[in-house]
Amino acid sequence: IMAQNGTPENGVPADPAALPLPQPCRITDIKHTKLFINNEWHSSAKGKTIPIFNPATGDKICEVEEADKADVDVAVEAARAAMKRGSAWRRMDVSGRGRLLHKLAELLERDRTLLAAGFPPGVVNIVPGFGPTSGAAIASHMGIDKVAFTGSVEVGQLIKEAAAKSNLKRVTLELGGKNPCIVFGDSDLQLAVQEAQKGAFYNQGQCCTAASRVFVEERVYDEFVRLSVESAKKIVAGDPMDPRTSHGPQINQQQFEKILDLVESGKREGAKLECGGHALQDKGLFIQPTIFSDVKDHMRLAKEEIFGPVQCIMKFKSQEEVIERANSTHYGLAAAVFTRSVDRAMSVSSALEAGTVWVNCYNALHAQAPFGGYKMSGNGRELGEYALAEYTEVKAVTIKLSEQLTL
């Protein structure tokens, strides 16, 4: 996830309207559907394929090769060979590796319209997803130093178990979250509404940092709900290939049904549906941006990771109360605090059990700042200097100096 707040200093015009509107990009030809192993395209060992559907239309796009255990073995052996002493990769100098990375960056830039389809304009978010089978298969075959995964807590548990059976190989796990967003009465309410909804509806809520628990101080609660509903009703849903769209479909039918089931649970358990709550159309996997108020801590909406466009707004009275409620979860990935008080911002940020805390903003992630979770939200850190440590072994060499040793 990359920061969305570009500035003139980093090349983004101060006025977004000054940016030229790109034309919708269409997928006309799928060139590669095979497994990419050892810099070559391969058919799967068992000839299995996975059908890929467009979630916006339900149309089948293509079929891609499905990797099995034998394919993973080949890939792992290729990785091991690449890391052996004397290999082409180990002999390549820094400038050579840099050229390859720059080439990758240029290719990503070339296809950014396709890669960013369905995301807010100007934002590219490329996050690898790993299912329980593929993640565990890779982890159980690890003969390499480090592997990083992004996925759910359930997937993370499988990976940790598999890694423990494989000579205790190290893994970095950035997993799920049920992230609290705390809005105090002294905050800039319009800003808090805007940022909280960015957190709730970004990528249709399919984001590990989603702001799915919004705690609002009692004295501004009603106004916050009113402004949030007004804002949600202005969100433009539609074709993710159209740059004017800011709300696209869910990723697949299974997730679509899970979200709607959680929405129904909210209605049954007594939360107040303020807007949305339904599928948008018969064709495609679109769900309306949905807001529930009067959400209670015991409800499924407040406990389970929804991974969908559902904003749960909850009321609190005191700072101590909201800190306790915010931390009352087995997750600990991200959190946010909205207040004009520096003292409150610092004290609450310190008390929250989360790897990342934003103050008066949301999803403001940068390559220089470490990112990762507390508790069941993961192990280790991505980004920043901390990420380099995850991929590095520190070696201590101790030499006893004596007259016999020549320097």
Side-chain angles (χ1 to χ4, degrees), residues 56-168:
T57 63
D59 298 335
K60 184 176 177 180
I61 299 174
C62 65
E63 292 195 0
V64 299
E65 301 282 333
E66 179 180 355
D68 214 316
K69 180 181 182 299
D71 302 300
V72 174
D73 286 341
V74 173
V76 170
E77 284 305 314
R80 283 176 173 164
M83 294 305 294
K84 285 182 179 178
R85 287 197 204 94
S87 69
W89 178 254
R90 291 287 289 265
R91 293 197 312 269
M92 188 181 298
D93 60 19
V94 173
S95 61
R97 296 184 184 188
R99 281 193 295 272
L100 290 176
L101 291 173
H102 279 294
K103 183 178 180 180
L104 174 61
E106 288 167 1
L107 292 172
L108 290 172
E109 182 66 21
R110 183 193 70 186
D111 294 334
R112 65 191 175 109
T113 307
L114 267 179
L115 295 171
F119 287 91
V123 178
V124 176
N125 182 329
I126 307 164
V127 180
F130 296 91
T133 304
S134 60
I138 293 172
S140 65
H141 287 77
M142 286 190 297
I144 49 182
D145 292 333
K146 199 75 174 60
V147 177
F149 291 95
T150 299
S152 69
V153 168
E154 290 78 11
V155 174
Q157 289 175 324
L158 288 173
I159 294 170
K160 287 177 70 175
E161 290 169 7
K165 296 174 183 177
S166 183
N167 297 325
L168 294 176

Side-chain angles (χ1 to χ4, degrees), residues 172-234:
T172 294
L173 299 171
E174 186 273 282
L175 305 175
K178 191 65 180 174
N179 310 293
C181 179
I182 303 173
V183 180
F184 287 96
D186 68 338
S187 65
D188 179 335
L189 212 56
Q190 196 68 55
L191 173 68
V193 167
Q194 175 186 330
E195 294 294 315
Q197 288 207 336
K198 181 194 296 181
F201 299 140
Y202 179 81
N203 193 28
Q204 296 75 249
Q206 298 170 136
C207 186
C208 54
T209 61
S212 57
R213 289 190 299 155
V214 182
F215 295 93
V216 183
E217 192 170 357
E218 190 174 46
R219 62 190 172 102
V220 294
Y221 182 84
D222 291 339
E223 180 68 2
F224 184 92
V225 171
R226 184 186 69 79
L227 291 173
S228 296
V229 172
E230 286 182 2
S231 177
K233 288 181 177 179
K234 295 176 183 176

